[in-house]
Amino acid sequence: MRKIRGAYFFIVFLVIVFSCAKKPELKLSADSEFEDSFEKANKYIEEKQYEDARDLLNKIKTYDTTDKYAPLAQLRLADSYLKEEEPEIAMEEYSRFLDMYSRHIYAAYAQYQIAMIYFKEMTDAERGYESAKKALEELETLNSLYPRNPYKEEVASMIEKSKETIADHEFLVGKFYFKKKAYKGALARLVGVLEMFPDYKNEEEVLFLIHTSYKALGDNDKAGQYLDLLMTKYPESKLGAINQ
């Protein structure tokens, strides 16, 4: 009887031990498993089930030692955060992709997405200055590192818009200093606009403000040079006629 009871308790003990033991984590191994998991993750992203998608994508990253699916998983991980409107986290994940796979076929795409995040943060010239500077830097990096990127025409337009926003900001700050009669501060900004953005849309007014600032500071030679430049480039300028 004691032997039967002892055997019974031993069996119960084993049942408890094995039932409480942690189940082994599902590991991906076969190429078909990676492909199926990747497709399923993409479906989850389309259905806005982002956490489920990320669970699968992280497993792919962990177990794919061939680097066939892991880079794609990292990229889609970044995409998932962008779609969930978490641009800062998305940017970190795109940057991580570039750190690990800078020569990958989709590296240009990751760099483009980083630039696009900054570009979309641009608002007006007063509030979008920092984003415009960062967008311009990332766009130029894209063209420099990946000159054959498929976004050339769009990037060219984005670069021009970023430059225009930066120039508008510098112009507004220069005018602010000018109105305050802080002419040295005004000149620092306005001369910089001409040097950095030679085709700036408000060049006529910039030249006039530089001329007037130098005149107010008593530097008639510089004032004359900029008045001559103003009248040469804009002979019909009413601004230039004021000081003739």
Side-chain angles (χ1 to χ4, degrees), residues 106-241:
Y106 291 126
Y109 168 79
Q111 179 63 43
Y112 168 80
Q113 291 291 52
I114 292 173
M116 181 61 78
I117 289 171
Y118 283 125
F119 186 80
K120 287 182 176 179
E121 289 177 351
M122 286 167 44
T123 50
D124 53 31
E126 291 185 30
R127 293 172 292 178
Y129 176 69
E130 290 298 329
S131 294
K133 284 178 63 179
K134 290 176 181 177
L136 180 60
E137 180 182 346
E138 298 297 342
L139 290 165
E140 290 179 339
T141 296
L142 173 60
N143 280 342
S144 175
L145 294 181
Y146 311 104
R148 296 183 180 179
N149 74 79
Y151 316 104
K152 298 287 287 185
E153 291 185 12
E154 184 180 359
V155 166
S157 176
M158 291 165 65
I159 285 175
E160 287 305 310
K161 179 62 178 176
S162 299
K163 286 183 176 180
E164 183 179 305
T165 301
I166 296 169
D168 282 344
H169 174 83
E170 294 296 306
F171 176 58
L172 289 175
V173 174
K175 284 185 71 173
F176 172 80
Y177 284 132
F178 180 84
K179 290 177 181 178
K180 294 288 185 181
K181 298 184 179 181
Y183 298 114
K184 289 184 178 180
L187 286 170
R189 299 290 182 146
L190 297 170
V191 172
V193 169
L194 292 185
E195 291 176 348
M196 292 186 292
F197 311 102
D199 298 320
Y200 182 51
K201 61 185 179 183
N202 293 321
E203 182 187 48
E204 180 182 352
E205 188 175 357
V206 171
L207 289 169
F208 172 74
L209 293 175
I210 292 174
H211 155 71
T212 308
S213 295
Y214 275 124
K215 188 174 182 180
L217 291 171
D219 191 337
N220 293 324
D221 288 339
K222 286 282 188 180
Q225 289 175 22
Y226 279 95
L227 179 60
D228 290 344
L229 184 57
L230 171 61
M231 296 310 299
T232 299
K233 299 192 75 170
Y234 303 95
E236 304 299 323
S237 175
K238 295 180 180 180
L239 294 173

